[in-house]
Structures are given as C-alpha cells and as structure tokens.
Amino acid sequence: MRSRSVSLAPVLALLALIAALEAWYLVAKPSLPKAEPTPATTPLTGAIYVLVGFLAGLLGGIIGTGGCSVMLPIIHFWGGFSATMAIGTTLFAVLFTAISGGYGHLVRRNVDKRAAAWLGGVGVLGVLLGSWLFWVLAKQAVKVLCLVLGVVFLWPAARMVYEGLLPWLKKEAGAKPEGQEIPGAGWALGLFGFIIGITTGLVGLGGGYALVPGLIYLFGAPVYITMGTSLAVMIPLALVGGLIKLYQGFVDFSAGCLLAIGTIMGAQVGAAVMRRFRPTTLKLIFGAYFLYVSLKFITGFFGIRIW
C-alpha cells in the first residue's frame, strides 16, 4: 500500500505565525493581562522552552496527547512558574501542538472523524464550565486539584503498564489487528467529551491524558486511531480553553509561543514514527510516563519534590 505523504507547508505556515506572534510580543510589548509574575524569558530559557516543547510534542505525537502533561510539571517544578500560570501557559501552547499533530494524524488516516466531532463539539461546552470553575477555585484549590489528578492517574497508568508488559509476561505470539473506528453511541462520546472539557478548562491539561485511556478502556477503541483522534479533539478544547486562560491573565505569552514552536516540530516527528511502535509498546510508554506524573503531583502536595 502506498504511504501518504504529508505536506510541510501548513506546518511551516503555523511555525511562521507563532514566530511572528513572538516577535510582535517582544517588539510591541503589549500590556496583556497577567495574573501572577513569571520568570523573565532570556535567550537561554527561551532555548530551553523550545527544547521542552519539542520533547513534549514528540511524546505527544506518539501517544496522542498535546504535551501539556510533559510541559506543565517541567515549567512548574523546575521553571519557577506558579501552578496556575503553568496551567494556562501550557494549555495555550498545546493549541498549536494539537493543530500540528492533529493535521499529521489526519493525513495519515489515524483520526475517527465521527468520534472527534462528538467529543470535541460537546467537549467545548465542558471547557466553558471548567474555565469558570478555574476562575472561581484555582487560586485556593489548585494544590488539591493536583492531588486529585495524581490519584486519578494511578489507574490508567497501572493498567497500561500491565497491558504493555503482557506480551513479555505471557509470551503471546502477537497483538490483535487494529480497527479503524472508535465504537460507541454519539451521545456517550459526547458525554465523555463534556467531562474531558470540564477537566481541560479546570486544570489545563488539554484532555489527552484522560482521552486516550478513556477511549481505549471505556469504548474499546483501537490504539492508533485513539492517538490521532485525541489530538484532533484537543484542537477545539485547547482553542477555547487557551484563549479563556489568556483573557484571564494566566498565560505567559512569550513562553507559550516558544513552547508551541517546539511542540509543533516534535508533534510532526511523533506522528510520523507512531506506527513503528506496537500498541502494547505505546501503552507501556504511556503508562510509565503517567505513573511518574502521578507520583510527582501526589508527593508535591505533601511538600516532597521528586526529580
């Protein structure tokens, strides 16, 4: 079967747009709303943001997330961002990641368009509700929210690690063939998208951290299609959530643009190499990473920092 080529023109255009936004911000110095101070962006930290974004985009392109769950803990725990500013900045950046990665997966036919329409369309309503809850509660309860997220992450992390190790534990001959559609009624997908939208607006993780394991285990979705569909769904969720966070003042515009530049490049590489991984390998990678994120948030709540 002939492989489909992916035009780089839309990706280059998106990179040029973000670079122009970054230049505009540095030259014009607009007085955008800013709820809390963030570290100044220097040439060194700017390069680090691009690198962090690239690694987040690479992982996100492979496992079907926008990279928020990679970028958020890095700029929060090691970059000096408050939790609320880290949430808003990474959600803003992941908008561009989702556009880039979603395009790559769409061209490679890794997206179930029906499921994406239900999940993203109804999910936007959840983002509006979640963004309002964030505005009301974030400054007082963000540490508790991080603790809850850490506990919730344990289930998909443990299950994915276990299933990823099954071929070695049971020495199975091979995996079942992958399907091309995500099963489930439209209303059920919409309800799930609404819940994902609430968490996106509330904690700014883009939704991929919950979309992927939820679609796989609740709907029996094929792994590869789930990864691509997840990024496609995050486009409307991150667009609405990121712009609201920008309006609320919880986005460092300069850092967000630099993270976005890195994630766009990384997401394209990740989308290109994704099908070289077996589904069980993807689950193992996904589960191991979220186990780490889970422990990071839980121990952080108790004042214990792990690398």
Side-chain angles (χ1 to χ4, degrees), residues 3-296:
S3 61
R4 295 178 62 88
S5 62
V6 180
S7 171
L8 292 178
V11 178
L12 295 176
L14 189 58
L15 285 171
L17 172 63
I18 302 173
L21 289 173
E22 177 74 9
W24 165 78
Y25 182 81
L26 294 176
V27 174
K29 301 185 185 302
S31 57
L32 297 179
K34 201 169 187 180
E36 299 179 48
T38 54
T41 301
T42 66
L44 176 60
T45 58
I48 292 174
Y49 291 150
V50 173
L51 177 60
V52 169
F54 179 83
L55 296 176
L58 178 64
L59 180 62
I62 293 175
I63 64 178
T65 73
C68 264
S69 50
V70 177
M71 296 183 289
L72 194 157
I74 291 178
I75 69 171
H76 171 50
F77 291 113
W78 299 293
F81 281 63
S82 67
T84 51
M85 293 301 295
I87 287 172
T89 300
T90 53
L91 183 58
F92 174 76
V94 86
L95 163 63
F96 303 100
T97 316
I99 294 174
S100 175
Y103 163 74
H105 282 294
L106 181 64
V107 172
R108 295 177 177 88
R109 296 179 177 175
N110 292 332
V111 176
D112 184 328
K113 297 178 182 178
R114 180 192 73 96
W118 275 103
L119 291 163
V122 182
V124 166
L125 301 178
V127 172
L128 296 175
L129 176 59
S131 297
W132 176 78
L133 291 174
F134 176 86
W135 178 255
V136 174
L137 301 174
K139 290 186 177 181
Q140 292 77 21
V142 67
K143 288 187 65 176
V144 176
L145 291 173
C146 289
L147 174 64
V148 172
L149 282 173
V151 173
V152 171
F153 284 167
L154 286 175
W155 174 76
R159 183 163 181 174
M160 284 191 166
V161 168
Y162 172 72
E163 293 191 4
L165 291 174
L166 275 180
W168 289 273
L169 296 175
K170 294 186 176 182
K171 301 186 183 302
E172 296 177 347
K176 296 185 296 182
E178 286 280 296
Q180 296 298 316
E181 296 181 352
I182 296 176
W187 67 266
L189 291 168
L191 178 61
F192 182 55
F194 181 75
I195 296 172
I196 296 299
I198 293 176
T199 60
T200 299
L202 186 59
V203 297
L205 288 178
Y209 70 98
L211 267 172
V212 174
L215 289 174
I216 291 174
Y217 296 126
L218 295 178
F219 293 89
V223 175
Y224 292 128
I225 300 301
T226 298
M227 305 306 180
T229 302
S230 171
L231 279 173
V233 170
M234 278 189 289
I235 295 175
L237 302 190
L239 174 62
V240 175
L243 291 180
I244 290 176
K245 293 290 186 294
L246 180 63
Y247 174 78
Q248 293 173 333
F250 291 104
V251 173
D252 183 315
F253 192 87
S254 178
C257 288
L258 292 171
L259 288 168
I261 289 173
T263 56
I264 287 174
M265 295 185 291
Q268 285 301 307
V269 176
V273 303
M274 185 192 72
R275 283 191 178 268
R276 298 182 183 180
F277 293 84
R278 297 171 58 194
T280 52
T281 304
L282 291 174
K283 288 182 179 180
L284 183 58
I285 294 173
F286 198 110
Y289 173 69
F290 281 116
L291 180 60
Y292 163 75
V293 170
S294 173
L295 295 176
K296 185 75 174 173

